[in-house]
Amino acid sequence: MAMTVEAGGTLSEIYQSSKKVLLRARDGIERLERLENSTSSGGLDSPELSFTVKKDISQIQSLCAEMDRLWRSIASKPQRDLWKRKVEQVAEEAEALKQSLDRYLLRNQRKMREAQERAELLGRANGESAHVLRIFDEEAQAMQSVHNSKRMLEESLSTGSAILSKYSEQRERLKNAQRKALDVLNTVGLSNSVLRLIERRNRVDKWIKYMGMLITLVVLYFLVTWGR
């Protein structure tokens, strides 16, 4: 059954027209989404295409309003119910496309806003870049200074340990030499005065050893303090 409208078309003709516009709008939405996800375009917007899709959706909604008026005047209930489902299906598809377009436009507006904010941040950063670079340079120099101080301290401690070890070895050698000398002197029967002289020299050697150890500790103390 064909219902004639004031625009000169039947309900079936209007329905076919709405399906064609629906396909065109769906294709436009898909093209917008491909453009959005395209790496070569950088996700740029296409105002002309989005305007065309919006116009097509508005046309479909107008056609649905006209078809909704026409199917209600059909006398046959089965035919009326059939056209009701068809018109509702077209209207639902048009609404889904409208929501897709709205989401696309919202995402595009958000991207544009984020791009503008990044541009503003970069503009401010250009004025502060020298200051930031100087801070990083000072931090790097401080870290290098700490590393050098730590290395020098480790070398000083290693040197001090080696010196103390040498003093310990020399002390053992002096003790052995003293025992051997005493044995020799006792053997040859030297006088007590010579023995006292040797003991006095041994005490002097001990003082020299202790003074050397003290000087080494003082040097290590100053190295550690300077390294901080």
Side-chain angles (χ1 to χ4, degrees), residues 134-148:
R134 184 170 62 254
I135 292 176
F136 279 128
D137 184 62
E138 291 175 354
E139 291 291 337
Q141 291 180 359
M143 293 179 64
Q144 184 63 33
S145 177
V146 171
H147 177 72
N148 293 337

Side-chain angles (χ1 to χ4, degrees), residues 41-218:
S41 66
L44 298 177
D45 183 26
S46 177
E48 296 83 2
L49 181 57
S50 59
F51 176 78
T52 301
V53 173
K54 185 176 182 180
K55 184 178 178 181
D56 288 339
I57 294 174
S58 298
Q59 182 180 356
I60 297 170
Q61 291 175 336
S62 297
L63 293 174
C64 286
E66 184 65 20
M67 287 188 295
D68 185 71
R69 183 183 65 82
L70 291 175
W71 71 257
R72 296 177 185 275
S73 62
I74 298 176
S76 173
K77 187 177 185 304
Q79 288 292 322
R80 190 169 58 248
D81 293 341
L82 176 62
W83 277 107
K84 176 183 178 182
R85 288 193 299 270
K86 287 183 177 183
V87 174
E88 288 178 347
Q89 182 180 6
V90 173
E92 290 174 358
E93 293 181 7
E95 180 62 24
L97 291 178
K98 181 179 180 300
Q99 293 177 2
S100 298
L101 179 63
D102 291 341
R103 288 193 296 268
Y104 165 80
L105 294 175
L106 183 62
R107 290 194 303 269
N108 188 68
Q109 291 176 358
R110 184 170 63 249
K111 289 180 180 179
M112 293 179 61
R113 184 171 59 254
E114 291 174 353
Q116 182 179 2
E117 292 175 354
R118 284 195 299 269
E120 293 176 355
L121 289 175
L122 288 175
R124 291 196 296 267
N126 289 334
E128 300 175 356
S129 59
H131 177 66
V132 174
L133 290 175
R134 184 170 62 254
I135 292 176
F136 279 128
D137 184 62
E138 291 175 354
E139 291 291 337
Q141 291 180 359
M143 293 179 64
Q144 184 63 33
S145 177
V146 171
H147 177 72
N148 293 337
S149 300
K150 180 181 178 181
R151 180 173 54 81
M152 293 179 63
L153 180 60
E154 291 176 350
E155 292 177 355
S156 300
L157 291 176
S158 178
T159 302
S161 299
I163 294 173
L164 293 176
S165 178
K166 290 293 183 181
Y167 274 125
S168 178
E169 294 176 359
Q170 291 178 3
R171 184 182 62 182
E172 292 298 327
R173 287 199 294 269
L174 288 174
K175 286 183 179 180
N176 293 333
Q178 180 184 5
R179 285 195 297 267
K180 291 180 179 180
L182 289 175
D183 293 339
V184 172
L185 291 175
N186 289 331
T187 302
V188 298
L190 293 177
S191 63
N192 291 332
S193 60
V194 176
L195 293 175
R196 285 194 297 271
L197 179 62
I198 293 173
E199 292 177 354
R200 190 181 309 112
R201 178 59 182 272
N202 185 41
R203 286 195 296 272
V204 172
D205 290 339
K206 288 183 178 180
W207 279 106
I208 292 173
K209 177 183 67 177
Y210 293 146
M211 289 297 296
M213 295 174 66
L214 179 61
I215 291 172
T216 300
L217 292 175
V218 171

